[in-house]
Protein backbone atom coordinates (compact mmCIF):
# COMPACT_ATOMS: atom_id res chain seq x y z
CA UNK A 1 0.00 0.00 0.00
CA UNK A 2 1.33 3.40 -0.97
CA UNK A 3 2.02 5.72 1.98
CA UNK A 4 0.16 9.06 1.84
CA UNK A 5 1.79 11.78 3.93
CA UNK A 6 -0.46 13.51 6.47
CA UNK A 7 0.17 16.81 4.70
CA UNK A 8 -1.35 15.41 1.50
CA UNK A 9 -4.43 14.26 3.39
CA UNK A 10 -4.85 17.73 4.87
CA UNK A 11 -4.49 19.34 1.44
CA UNK A 12 -7.09 16.93 -0.02
CA UNK A 13 -9.53 17.81 2.74
CA UNK A 14 -8.95 21.53 2.14
CA UNK A 15 -9.61 21.01 -1.59
CA UNK A 16 -12.89 19.24 -0.85
CA UNK A 17 -13.96 21.99 1.55
CA UNK A 18 -12.98 24.63 -1.00
CA UNK A 19 -15.14 22.87 -3.64
CA UNK A 20 -18.09 22.77 -1.25
CA UNK A 21 -17.63 26.44 -0.47
CA UNK A 22 -17.47 27.21 -4.18
CA UNK A 23 -20.82 25.46 -4.64
CA UNK A 24 -22.28 27.89 -2.09
CA UNK A 25 -20.42 31.02 -3.19
CA UNK A 26 -22.29 34.28 -2.83
CA UNK A 27 -24.95 32.71 -0.67
CA UNK A 28 -26.09 30.37 -3.48
CA UNK A 29 -26.72 26.71 -2.70
CA UNK A 30 -26.14 24.54 -5.75
CA UNK A 31 -25.90 20.81 -5.11
CA UNK A 32 -22.66 19.25 -6.41
CA UNK A 33 -21.65 22.63 -7.89
CA UNK A 34 -23.61 22.00 -11.10
CA UNK A 35 -27.21 22.31 -12.30
CA UNK A 36 -27.93 19.15 -14.26
CA UNK A 37 -31.02 18.71 -16.46
CA UNK A 38 -32.10 15.34 -17.81
CA UNK A 39 -34.20 15.39 -21.00
CA UNK A 40 -36.06 12.08 -21.22
CA UNK A 41 -37.82 12.05 -24.57
CA UNK A 42 -39.01 10.02 -27.56
CA UNK A 43 -36.03 10.12 -29.91
CA UNK A 44 -36.96 7.39 -32.41
CA UNK A 45 -40.65 6.66 -31.82
CA UNK A 46 -44.03 8.00 -32.99
CA UNK A 47 -43.63 11.34 -31.16
CA UNK A 48 -40.06 12.07 -32.25
CA UNK A 49 -41.04 14.99 -34.52
CA UNK A 50 -43.21 16.65 -31.89
CA UNK A 51 -40.59 16.28 -29.12
CA UNK A 52 -37.38 14.23 -29.51
CA UNK A 53 -34.29 15.96 -30.82
CA UNK A 54 -36.25 19.21 -31.15
CA UNK A 55 -36.98 19.24 -27.41
CA UNK A 56 -33.29 18.64 -26.70
CA UNK A 57 -32.39 21.56 -29.00
CA UNK A 58 -35.01 23.76 -27.28
CA UNK A 59 -33.36 22.92 -23.94
CA UNK A 60 -29.96 23.82 -25.37
CA UNK A 61 -31.27 27.20 -26.61
CA UNK A 62 -32.59 28.02 -23.13
CA UNK A 63 -29.24 27.08 -21.56
CA UNK A 64 -27.30 29.06 -24.18
CA UNK A 65 -29.36 32.15 -23.35
CA UNK A 66 -28.00 31.84 -19.79
CA UNK A 67 -24.46 31.59 -21.09
CA UNK A 68 -24.26 27.97 -19.97
CA UNK A 69 -24.19 28.98 -16.29
CA UNK A 70 -26.55 29.94 -13.49
CA UNK A 71 -25.28 31.63 -10.31
CA UNK A 72 -21.78 31.08 -11.68
CA UNK A 73 -22.26 27.30 -11.78
CA UNK A 74 -22.23 25.25 -15.00
CA UNK A 75 -25.45 23.89 -16.48
CA UNK A 76 -25.24 20.38 -17.92
CA UNK A 77 -27.74 18.48 -20.09
CA UNK A 78 -28.06 14.71 -20.31
CA UNK A 79 -30.48 12.97 -22.67
CA UNK A 80 -32.07 9.56 -23.18
CA UNK A 81 -34.81 7.82 -25.17
CA UNK A 82 -37.67 6.42 -23.04
CA UNK A 83 -39.03 4.45 -26.03
CA UNK A 84 -42.55 5.21 -24.77
CA UNK A 85 -42.13 2.57 -22.06
CA UNK A 86 -42.77 3.38 -18.41
CA UNK A 87 -40.31 0.72 -17.17
CA UNK A 88 -37.47 2.14 -19.27
CA UNK A 89 -38.34 5.65 -18.08
CA UNK A 90 -38.32 4.47 -14.45
CA UNK A 91 -34.94 2.78 -14.80
CA UNK A 92 -33.33 5.76 -16.51
CA UNK A 93 -34.83 8.26 -14.04
CA UNK A 94 -33.50 6.29 -11.05
CA UNK A 95 -30.09 6.02 -12.69
CA UNK A 96 -29.96 9.74 -13.39
CA UNK A 97 -31.09 10.78 -9.91
CA UNK A 98 -29.01 8.22 -7.96
CA UNK A 99 -25.81 7.98 -9.98
CA UNK A 100 -25.63 11.09 -12.16
CA UNK A 101 -27.08 13.59 -9.64
CA UNK A 102 -29.58 15.05 -12.10
CA UNK A 103 -31.51 17.93 -10.51
CA UNK A 104 -34.52 17.98 -12.84
CA UNK A 105 -35.88 15.32 -15.20
CA UNK A 106 -37.94 16.85 -17.98
CA UNK A 107 -39.93 16.61 -21.23
CA UNK A 108 -41.44 13.16 -20.45
CA UNK A 109 -43.64 12.91 -23.52
CA UNK A 110 -46.16 10.05 -23.08
CA UNK A 111 -48.33 10.24 -20.00
CA UNK A 112 -47.43 6.80 -18.63
CA UNK A 113 -43.76 7.76 -18.82
CA UNK A 114 -44.43 11.09 -17.11
CA UNK A 115 -46.39 9.52 -14.23
CA UNK A 116 -43.63 6.96 -13.64
CA UNK A 117 -40.83 9.55 -13.65
CA UNK A 118 -42.78 11.98 -11.45
CA UNK A 119 -43.19 9.35 -8.75
CA UNK A 120 -39.46 8.60 -8.65
CA UNK A 121 -38.50 12.29 -8.66
CA UNK A 122 -40.78 12.84 -5.68
CA UNK A 123 -39.31 9.82 -3.89
CA UNK A 124 -35.75 11.11 -4.48
CA UNK A 125 -36.47 14.75 -3.58
CA UNK A 126 -35.76 16.05 -7.10
CA UNK A 127 -37.80 17.95 -9.64
CA UNK A 128 -39.85 16.72 -12.61
CA UNK A 129 -40.92 19.11 -15.37
CA UNK A 130 -43.57 17.61 -17.66
CA UNK A 131 -43.74 19.42 -21.00
CA UNK A 132 -44.53 16.60 -23.42
CA UNK A 133 -47.47 14.78 -21.81
CA UNK A 134 -51.02 15.95 -21.38
CA UNK A 135 -53.05 13.55 -19.22
CA UNK A 136 -54.96 15.70 -16.77
CA UNK A 137 -54.11 13.43 -13.84
CA UNK A 138 -50.47 14.63 -14.02
CA UNK A 139 -51.51 17.84 -12.26
CA UNK A 140 -54.78 16.52 -10.86
CA UNK A 141 -55.22 13.37 -8.72
CA UNK A 142 -51.58 12.24 -9.27
CA UNK A 143 -49.99 15.65 -8.68
CA UNK A 144 -46.82 15.88 -6.59
CA UNK A 145 -45.23 18.87 -4.82
CA UNK A 146 -42.05 18.33 -6.89
CA UNK A 147 -43.69 18.43 -10.31
CA UNK A 148 -44.74 21.16 -12.73
CA UNK A 149 -46.98 20.54 -15.75
CA UNK A 150 -46.33 22.96 -18.61
CA UNK A 151 -47.66 23.12 -22.23
CA UNK A 152 -51.24 21.70 -22.05
CA UNK A 153 -53.52 19.05 -20.62
CA UNK A 154 -56.37 17.05 -22.12
CA UNK A 155 -58.95 19.30 -20.45
CA UNK A 156 -57.70 22.46 -22.15
CA UNK A 157 -57.29 20.74 -25.53
CA UNK A 158 -60.80 19.28 -25.41
CA UNK A 159 -62.34 22.47 -24.04
CA UNK A 160 -60.87 24.80 -26.67
CA UNK A 161 -61.08 22.26 -29.51
CA UNK A 162 -64.70 21.03 -29.23
CA UNK A 163 -67.09 23.63 -27.83
CA UNK A 164 -66.76 26.05 -30.73
CA UNK A 165 -67.46 23.30 -33.27
CA UNK A 166 -70.57 22.13 -31.45
CA UNK A 167 -71.80 25.73 -31.54
CA UNK A 168 -71.16 25.76 -35.29
CA UNK A 169 -73.61 22.87 -35.74
CA UNK A 170 -71.44 19.76 -35.37
CA UNK A 171 -73.73 18.12 -32.83
CA UNK A 172 -72.94 14.40 -33.18
CA UNK A 173 -69.43 13.00 -32.71
CA UNK A 174 -67.56 9.70 -33.13
CA UNK A 175 -64.16 9.06 -31.52
CA UNK A 176 -61.18 7.07 -32.84
CA UNK A 177 -58.99 6.86 -29.75
CA UNK A 178 -55.50 5.58 -28.89
CA UNK A 179 -55.88 2.93 -26.19
CA UNK A 180 -53.60 4.42 -23.54
CA UNK A 181 -53.85 6.99 -20.74
CA UNK A 182 -53.59 10.18 -22.79
CA UNK A 183 -55.94 8.96 -25.53
CA UNK A 184 -58.56 8.00 -22.92
CA UNK A 185 -58.16 11.38 -21.26
CA UNK A 186 -58.65 13.25 -24.55
CA UNK A 187 -61.83 11.32 -25.31
CA UNK A 188 -63.30 11.53 -21.81
CA UNK A 189 -62.70 15.27 -21.53
CA UNK A 190 -63.99 15.85 -25.05
CA UNK A 191 -67.23 14.02 -24.25
CA UNK A 192 -67.87 16.32 -21.30
CA UNK A 193 -67.52 19.50 -23.36
CA UNK A 194 -69.49 18.15 -26.32
CA UNK A 195 -72.39 17.17 -24.09
CA UNK A 196 -72.20 20.40 -22.07
CA UNK A 197 -72.46 22.37 -25.32
CA UNK A 198 -75.56 20.42 -26.40
CA UNK A 199 -73.93 17.75 -28.56
CA UNK A 200 -73.56 13.98 -28.16
CA UNK A 201 -70.99 11.23 -28.77
CA UNK A 202 -72.66 8.48 -30.79
CA UNK A 203 -69.79 5.98 -30.61
CA UNK A 204 -66.07 5.35 -30.29
CA UNK A 205 -63.37 2.87 -31.28
CA UNK A 206 -60.11 2.31 -29.41
CA UNK A 207 -57.09 1.07 -31.30
CA UNK A 208 -53.89 -0.43 -29.81
CA UNK A 209 -51.15 2.19 -29.60
CA UNK A 210 -49.01 2.60 -31.65
CA UNK A 211 -51.01 1.66 -34.74
CA UNK A 212 -50.58 1.51 -38.51
CA UNK A 213 -53.87 0.25 -39.95
CA UNK A 214 -56.86 2.44 -39.16
CA UNK A 215 -59.18 1.18 -41.90
CA UNK A 216 -61.65 -0.73 -39.73
CA UNK A 217 -61.96 2.15 -37.25
CA UNK A 218 -62.51 4.68 -40.03
CA UNK A 219 -65.19 2.51 -41.65
CA UNK A 220 -67.04 2.40 -38.32
CA UNK A 221 -66.67 6.17 -37.92
CA UNK A 222 -68.06 6.78 -41.42
CA UNK A 223 -70.90 4.37 -40.78
CA UNK A 224 -71.91 6.28 -37.67
CA UNK A 225 -73.01 9.27 -39.81
CA UNK A 226 -71.64 11.55 -37.09
CA UNK A 227 -71.22 15.24 -37.95
CA UNK A 228 -67.64 15.16 -36.64
CA UNK A 229 -65.05 12.41 -36.27
CA UNK A 230 -62.53 13.15 -33.51
CA UNK A 231 -59.14 11.47 -33.67
CA UNK A 232 -57.74 11.22 -30.15
CA UNK A 233 -54.10 10.39 -30.70
CA UNK A 234 -50.90 12.17 -31.72
CA UNK A 235 -47.73 12.07 -33.78
CA UNK A 236 -47.31 9.61 -36.64
CA UNK A 237 -50.47 7.75 -35.60
CA UNK A 238 -52.49 10.92 -36.10
CA UNK A 239 -50.98 11.56 -39.51
CA UNK A 240 -51.60 7.99 -40.65
CA UNK A 241 -55.19 8.07 -39.39
CA UNK A 242 -55.95 11.32 -41.25
CA UNK A 243 -54.30 10.13 -44.49
CA UNK A 244 -56.16 6.82 -44.40
CA UNK A 245 -59.33 8.66 -43.48
CA UNK A 246 -59.05 10.84 -46.58
CA UNK A 247 -58.67 7.68 -48.70
CA UNK A 248 -61.91 6.33 -47.23
CA UNK A 249 -63.76 9.61 -47.72
CA UNK A 250 -63.57 10.77 -44.10
CA UNK A 251 -64.37 14.46 -43.78
CA UNK A 252 -66.39 14.70 -47.00
CA UNK A 253 -70.01 15.70 -47.39
CA UNK A 254 -69.89 18.33 -44.67
CA UNK A 255 -68.46 15.96 -42.04
CA UNK A 256 -65.63 17.44 -39.94
CA UNK A 257 -62.41 15.62 -39.07
CA UNK A 258 -61.17 16.96 -35.75
CA UNK A 259 -57.70 16.35 -34.32
CA UNK A 260 -57.81 16.36 -30.52
CA UNK A 261 -54.07 16.99 -30.50
CA UNK A 262 -52.29 18.22 -33.60
CA UNK A 263 -48.94 19.93 -34.11
CA UNK A 264 -47.34 21.96 -36.85
CA UNK A 265 -45.20 18.93 -37.73
CA UNK A 266 -48.35 16.88 -38.27
CA UNK A 267 -49.65 19.56 -40.64
CA UNK A 268 -46.26 19.66 -42.38
CA UNK A 269 -46.23 15.88 -42.75
CA UNK A 270 -49.79 15.74 -44.06
CA UNK A 271 -49.51 18.76 -46.33
CA UNK A 272 -52.10 21.52 -46.55
CA UNK A 273 -54.08 19.56 -49.11
CA UNK A 274 -54.85 16.86 -46.51
CA UNK A 275 -54.90 19.04 -43.39
CA UNK A 276 -56.49 22.22 -44.77
CA UNK A 277 -59.53 23.61 -42.93
CA UNK A 278 -59.02 21.36 -39.89
CA UNK A 279 -59.57 23.21 -36.61
CA UNK A 280 -58.00 22.33 -33.28
CA UNK A 281 -56.60 23.71 -30.04
CA UNK A 282 -52.97 24.84 -30.01
CA UNK A 283 -50.74 26.30 -27.33
CA UNK A 284 -48.11 27.91 -29.59
CA UNK A 285 -47.64 29.19 -33.13
CA UNK A 286 -44.24 30.32 -34.33
CA UNK A 287 -45.68 33.32 -36.24
CA UNK A 288 -47.89 34.60 -33.39
CA UNK A 289 -45.75 37.57 -32.25
CA UNK A 290 -42.20 38.96 -32.18
CA UNK A 291 -41.10 36.77 -29.24
CA UNK A 292 -42.35 33.57 -30.84
CA UNK A 293 -40.67 34.47 -34.13
CA UNK A 294 -37.36 35.23 -32.37
CA UNK A 295 -37.28 31.80 -30.70
CA UNK A 296 -38.44 30.11 -33.91
CA UNK A 297 -35.57 31.72 -35.82
CA UNK A 298 -33.02 30.28 -33.37
CA UNK A 299 -34.70 26.88 -33.57
CA UNK A 300 -34.84 26.97 -37.37
CA UNK A 301 -31.10 27.61 -37.60
CA UNK A 302 -30.41 24.44 -35.61
CA UNK A 303 -33.22 22.15 -36.79
CA UNK A 304 -34.06 23.52 -40.27
CA UNK A 305 -37.76 23.55 -39.41
CA UNK A 306 -40.17 25.35 -37.12
CA UNK A 307 -40.75 24.29 -33.49
CA UNK A 308 -43.84 22.49 -32.27
CA UNK A 309 -45.78 23.70 -29.23
CA UNK A 310 -44.15 20.99 -27.12
CA UNK A 311 -40.67 22.09 -28.15
CA UNK A 312 -41.45 25.76 -27.55
CA UNK A 313 -42.96 24.76 -24.19
CA UNK A 314 -39.77 22.88 -23.30
CA UNK A 315 -37.76 26.02 -24.00
CA UNK A 316 -40.15 28.06 -21.84
CA UNK A 317 -40.09 25.57 -18.95
CA UNK A 318 -36.29 25.30 -18.84
CA UNK A 319 -35.86 29.05 -19.17
CA UNK A 320 -38.29 29.58 -16.28
CA UNK A 321 -36.61 26.83 -14.22
CA UNK A 322 -33.20 28.47 -14.60
CA UNK A 323 -34.62 31.92 -13.76
CA UNK A 324 -36.16 30.39 -10.64
CA UNK A 325 -32.82 28.81 -9.61
CA UNK A 326 -31.25 32.23 -10.09
CA UNK A 327 -33.91 34.01 -8.02
CA UNK A 328 -33.99 31.38 -5.27
CA UNK A 329 -30.17 31.15 -5.22
CA UNK A 330 -30.70 27.42 -4.85
CA UNK A 331 -31.47 24.32 -6.91
CA UNK A 332 -33.44 22.77 -4.06
CA UNK A 333 -36.78 21.72 -5.55
CA UNK A 334 -38.94 23.41 -2.90
CA UNK A 335 -37.04 26.71 -3.29
CA UNK A 336 -37.24 26.55 -7.08
CA UNK A 337 -40.98 25.82 -7.27
CA UNK A 338 -41.70 28.56 -4.72
CA UNK A 339 -39.80 31.02 -6.95
CA UNK A 340 -41.62 29.80 -10.07
CA UNK A 341 -45.00 30.38 -8.41
CA UNK A 342 -44.07 34.00 -7.77
CA UNK A 343 -43.36 34.65 -11.46
CA UNK A 344 -45.56 35.99 -14.22
CA UNK A 345 -44.50 33.77 -17.10
CA UNK A 346 -44.35 35.70 -20.36
CA UNK A 347 -42.07 34.44 -23.10
CA UNK A 348 -41.98 33.04 -26.63
CA UNK A 349 -44.36 30.25 -25.60
CA UNK A 350 -46.39 31.39 -22.60
CA UNK A 351 -48.73 34.37 -22.64
CA UNK A 352 -50.11 35.48 -19.26
CA UNK A 353 -48.71 32.37 -17.61
CA UNK A 354 -48.86 31.53 -13.89
CA UNK A 355 -47.91 28.39 -11.97
CA UNK A 356 -50.69 27.16 -9.69
CA UNK A 357 -50.60 25.14 -6.45
CA UNK A 358 -51.40 21.94 -8.38
CA UNK A 359 -48.24 22.40 -10.46
CA UNK A 360 -50.12 23.33 -13.63
CA UNK A 361 -48.84 26.28 -15.63
CA UNK A 362 -51.96 28.08 -16.86
CA UNK A 363 -51.61 30.28 -19.94
CA UNK A 364 -53.56 31.50 -22.96
CA UNK A 365 -54.55 28.85 -25.54
CA UNK A 366 -55.28 29.24 -29.25
CA UNK A 367 -57.99 27.91 -31.53
CA UNK A 368 -56.42 27.59 -34.98
CA UNK A 369 -57.56 26.67 -38.46
CA UNK A 370 -55.19 25.11 -40.97
CA UNK A 371 -54.84 27.18 -44.12
CA UNK A 372 -55.64 25.80 -47.55
CA UNK A 373 -52.70 25.71 -50.02
CA UNK A 374 -53.93 28.89 -51.76
CA UNK A 375 -53.95 30.81 -48.45
CA UNK A 376 -50.35 30.01 -47.43
CA UNK A 377 -47.98 32.81 -48.48
CA UNK A 378 -44.58 31.58 -47.21
CA UNK A 379 -42.87 28.44 -45.84
CA UNK A 380 -44.50 27.17 -42.62
CA UNK A 381 -47.37 29.66 -43.00
CA UNK A 382 -49.87 27.05 -41.86
CA UNK A 383 -52.24 28.47 -39.24
CA UNK A 384 -54.89 31.12 -39.04
CA UNK A 385 -55.52 31.95 -35.39
CA UNK A 386 -59.28 32.00 -34.90
CA UNK A 387 -59.41 32.78 -31.21
CA UNK A 388 -57.15 33.39 -28.20
CA UNK A 389 -58.69 31.79 -25.12
CA UNK A 390 -57.52 33.15 -21.72
CA UNK A 391 -55.90 30.53 -19.50
CA UNK A 392 -58.56 30.83 -16.80
CA UNK A 393 -61.20 29.89 -19.36
CA UNK A 394 -59.17 27.19 -21.13
CA UNK A 395 -57.97 25.16 -18.12
CA UNK A 396 -59.97 23.50 -15.36
CA UNK A 397 -60.32 25.74 -12.30
CA UNK A 398 -58.62 24.97 -9.00
CA UNK A 399 -62.08 24.63 -7.45
CA UNK A 400 -62.61 21.51 -9.58
CA UNK A 401 -59.15 20.08 -8.93
CA UNK A 402 -58.61 16.70 -7.29
CA UNK A 403 -54.97 17.50 -6.53
CA UNK A 404 -54.33 16.95 -2.80
CA UNK A 405 -51.99 19.94 -2.75
CA UNK A 406 -54.85 22.34 -3.40
CA UNK A 407 -56.35 23.84 -0.25
CA UNK A 408 -60.11 24.27 -0.37
Amino acid sequence: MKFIPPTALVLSAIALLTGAAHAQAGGAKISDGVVKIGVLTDINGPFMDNVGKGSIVATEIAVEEFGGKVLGMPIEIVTADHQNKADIASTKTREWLDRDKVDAVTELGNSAVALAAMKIAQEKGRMSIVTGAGAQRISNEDCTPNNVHWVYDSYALANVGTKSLVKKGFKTWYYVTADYAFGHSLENDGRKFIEAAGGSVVGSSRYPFPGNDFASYIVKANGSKANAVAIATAGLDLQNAIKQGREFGLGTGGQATVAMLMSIMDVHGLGLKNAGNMMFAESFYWDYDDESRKFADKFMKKMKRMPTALQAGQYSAIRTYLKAVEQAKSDDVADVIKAMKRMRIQDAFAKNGTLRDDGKMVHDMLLVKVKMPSESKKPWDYYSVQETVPGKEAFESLDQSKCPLVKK
Side-chain angles (χ1 to χ4, degrees), residues 252-301:
T252 60
Q255 186 185 57
T257 305
V258 182
M260 298 306 295
L261 171 59
M262 198 167 192
S263 80
I264 198 166
M265 285 306 297
D266 296 321
V267 174
H268 187 73
L270 286 164
L272 297 184
K273 185 178 178 181
N274 282 324
N277 284 333
M278 291 185 70
M279 292 179 68
F280 53 92
E282 257 287 20
S283 47
F284 170 83
Y285 181 41
W286 71 269
D287 203 17
Y288 185 77
D289 62 14
D290 288 342
E291 280 190 290
S292 61
R293 285 186 283 271
K294 185 178 178 181
F295 165 69
D297 183 60
K298 291 181 181 180
F299 189 91
M300 171 65 84
K301 288 175 181 176

Side-chain angles (χ1 to χ4, degrees), residues 83-127:
Q83 300 176 43
N84 291 292
K85 296 178 181 178
D87 58 341
I88 291 176
S90 296
T91 299
K92 178 52 68 174
T93 300
R94 286 190 186 278
E95 180 183 297
W96 274 353
L97 302 187
D98 288 339
R99 187 194 69 187
D100 299 329
K101 308 302 181 186
V102 166
D103 296 294
V105 58
T106 182
E107 204 280 290
L108 304 172
N110 181 310
S111 296
V113 162
L115 291 164
M118 286 165 54
K119 184 177 180 180
I120 295 167
Q122 172 65 20
E123 181 186 309
K124 301 291 183 180
R126 308 290 174 80
M127 188 165 180

Side-chain angles (χ1 to χ4, degrees), residues 88-397:
I88 291 176
S90 296
T91 299
K92 178 52 68 174
T93 300
R94 286 190 186 278
E95 180 183 297
W96 274 353
L97 302 187
D98 288 339
R99 187 194 69 187
D100 299 329
K101 308 302 181 186
V102 166
D103 296 294
V105 58
T106 182
E107 204 280 290
L108 304 172
N110 181 310
S111 296
V113 162
L115 291 164
M118 286 165 54
K119 184 177 180 180
I120 295 167
Q122 172 65 20
E123 181 186 309
K124 301 291 183 180
R126 308 290 174 80
M127 188 165 180
S128 53
I129 304 173
V130 179
T131 64
Q136 197 182 352
R137 55 191 287 196
I138 290 168
S139 47
N140 204 26
E141 60 264 39
D142 290 323
C143 70
T144 78
N146 288 20
N147 183 66
V148 296
H149 192 187
W150 226 249
V151 187
Y152 54 59
D153 64 17
S154 56
Y155 182 102
L157 291 173
N159 182 12
V160 175
T162 59
K163 286 198 302 188
S164 63
L165 290 176
V166 175
K167 291 175 183 177
K168 290 178 183 292
F170 297 95
K171 299 290 187 180
T172 57
W173 291 62
Y174 189 98
Y175 270 83
V176 176
T177 302
D179 193 8
Y180 76 118
F182 184 53
H184 299 174
S185 191
L186 280 175
E187 179 181 334
N188 293 337
D189 287 330
R191 281 176 177 267
K192 295 174 188 175
F193 292 112
I194 290 165
E195 291 168 1
S200 64
V201 177
V202 298
S204 68
S205 297
R206 290 184 174 179
Y207 76 89
F209 174 84
N212 294 307
D213 186 0
F214 296 89
S216 63
Y217 310 108
I218 290 164
V219 168
K220 288 180 182 178
N222 267 335
S224 73
K225 305 299 181 182
N227 302 143
V229 175
I231 303 176
T233 189
L236 296 177
D237 279 27
L238 175 67
Q239 293 182 39
N240 287 332
I242 293 172
K243 285 177 182 176
Q244 290 176 36
R246 293 290 188 250
E247 293 170 7
F248 281 86
L250 192 65
T252 60
Q255 186 185 57
T257 305
V258 182
M260 298 306 295
L261 171 59
M262 198 167 192
S263 80
I264 198 166
M265 285 306 297
D266 296 321
V267 174
H268 187 73
L270 286 164
L272 297 184
K273 185 178 178 181
N274 282 324
N277 284 333
M278 291 185 70
M279 292 179 68
F280 53 92
E282 257 287 20
S283 47
F284 170 83
Y285 181 41
W286 71 269
D287 203 17
Y288 185 77
D289 62 14
D290 288 342
E291 280 190 290
S292 61
R293 285 186 283 271
K294 185 178 178 181
F295 165 69
D297 183 60
K298 291 181 181 180
F299 189 91
M300 171 65 84
K301 288 175 181 176
K302 291 175 177 285
M303 290 293 293
K304 310 305 178 188
R305 60 176 177 81
M306 288 301 176
T308 65
L310 296 176
Q311 291 157 351
Q314 176 71 7
Y315 160 81
S316 169
I318 298 306
R319 186 173 179 270
T320 305
Y321 169 74
L322 293 173
K323 285 175 67 177
V325 170
E326 190 173 58
Q327 290 184 17
K329 294 189 175 182
S330 168
D331 62 357
D332 176 78
V333 61
D335 295 337
V336 171
I337 289 182
K338 190 180 294 183
M340 291 173 84
K341 287 180 178 177
R342 290 195 298 262
M343 294 180 184
R344 179 174 178 268
I345 303 162
Q346 189 80 11
D347 55 34
F349 168 80
K351 310 304 174 189
N352 303 307
T354 55
L355 185 65
R356 302 192 315 194
D357 289 344
D358 57 358
K360 193 190 305 292
M361 199 277 281
V362 173
H363 56 89
D364 295 351
M365 293 284 290
L366 308 174
L367 178 67
V368 302
K369 184 177 182 180
V370 180
K371 294 183 177 181
M372 293 299 291
S374 60
E375 297 172 314
S376 180
K377 304 303 181 187
K378 57 186 176 182
W380 299 93
D381 178 24
Y382 291 163
Y383 294 169
S384 172
V385 177
Q386 304 291 297
E387 187 179 349
T388 298
V389 181
K392 289 183 178 180
E393 295 177 19
F395 290 87
E396 184 177 45
S397 70

Side-chain angles (χ1 to χ4, degrees), residues 39-45 79-84 88-89 92 96:
V39 184
L40 190 55
T41 188
D42 180 0
I43 294 176
N44 295 300
T79 66
D81 189 344
H82 55 59
Q83 300 176 43
N84 291 292
I88 291 176
K92 178 52 68 174
W96 274 353

